[in-house]
Amino acid sequence: MITKTMQDAINEQIKNEFYSAYLYLAMSAYFNASNLPGFAGWMRKQSQEEQGHALKLLDYLEDQQAQVVLKAIEPPPAEFKGPADVWQQTLEHEQKVTKMIHGLYELALKENDYATQTMLQWFITEQVEEEKTASLILEQVKRVGESGTALFFIDRHVGKMREE
Ligand code: FEO
């Protein structure tokens, strides 16, 4: 069993992960409309990954026989200033999510909730990877500028990163 406070906090994070999925789907649509299919494909995959994060938390609540409460998801932005702006927002968003995960972990520590601490360790590791990837792509996009042949090469390369 987990406490009601922990349950509420995890339910809030389920919503946050679904918001991430929504945000990346919006970014995917923007990139497709901007003729950058590689970036769009990466974002589409990332959106699916975020749904996976939400479901991982949801499954955990079910395993703990806690109550799942799905909340309304805010609409993400539909307009962006350009590719660098999107990748900048991606990095900042992931940094925000890292803080949220750390906040959950701190709560689990305070509550002596060892099971939740263990479950969250996967998310802590995942966030390191997510921030690293977003930062890497942002730096590459910033280096080559917002248009020109080099951007299309990066687009293709980023698209291939997620092809399984
Ligand atoms: Fe679910 Fe991108 O963190």
Side-chain angles (χ1 to χ4, degrees):
M1 276 299 275
I2 60 171
T3 64
K4 169 89 167 56
T5 311
M6 198 74 242
Q7 172 188 293
D8 291 348
I10 294 173
N11 272 314
E12 187 65 23
Q13 190 59 25
I14 290 173
K15 182 200 75 181
N16 294 334
E17 298 291 343
F18 275 125
Y19 175 79
S20 300
Y22 232 34
L23 176 65
Y24 295 139
L25 202 54
M27 288 172 168
S28 173
Y30 170 79
F31 278 138
N32 265 328
S34 309
N35 298 314
L36 291 163
F39 289 164
W42 191 98
M43 285 294 175
R44 178 71 73 99
K45 285 261 169 63
Q46 189 60 30
S47 178
Q48 286 165 355
E49 256 193 32
E50 298 298 351
Q51 289 178 53
H53 296 172
L55 294 177
K56 211 176 181 70
L57 293 167
L58 188 150
D59 286 344
Y60 177 72
L61 285 184
E62 288 185 349
D63 289 346
Q64 287 283 10
Q65 290 154 331
Q67 190 185 14
V68 173
V69 182
L70 296 178
K71 296 158 191 275
I73 307 165
E74 291 289 309
E79 302 288 343
F80 301 93
K81 291 190 200 113
D85 176 44
V86 176
W87 290 108
Q88 180 71 45
Q89 287 197 41
T90 301
L91 176 60
E92 285 170 12
H93 182 70
E94 287 304 329
Q95 288 167 338
K96 210 159 81 184
V97 173
T98 298
K99 286 205 179 88
M100 291 169 181
I101 297 292
H102 290 178
L104 277 177
Y105 194 82
E106 279 159 24
L107 181 63
L109 284 174
K110 208 172 101 195
E111 307 234 330
N112 294 325
D113 182 341
Y114 304 112
T116 302
Q117 287 170 35
T118 302
M119 182 275 291
L120 287 171
Q121 272 161 14
W122 182 89
F123 283 88
I124 292 169
T125 307
E126 176 73 5
Q127 283 311 119
V128 174
E129 197 56 37
E130 304 236 316
E131 281 193 35
K132 187 185 103 180
T133 310
S135 171
L136 182 81
I137 301 170
L138 172 63
E139 288 312 312
Q140 289 180 351
V141 171
K142 282 205 303 210
R143 200 169 304 162
V144 302
E146 302 262 351
S147 60
T149 319
L151 185 72
F152 287 97
F153 276 114
I154 294 178
D155 175 68
R156 211 163 68 177
H157 171 70
V158 167
K160 282 194 193 304
M161 280 166 76
R162 304 301 286 263
E163 278 172 12
E164 276 111 11

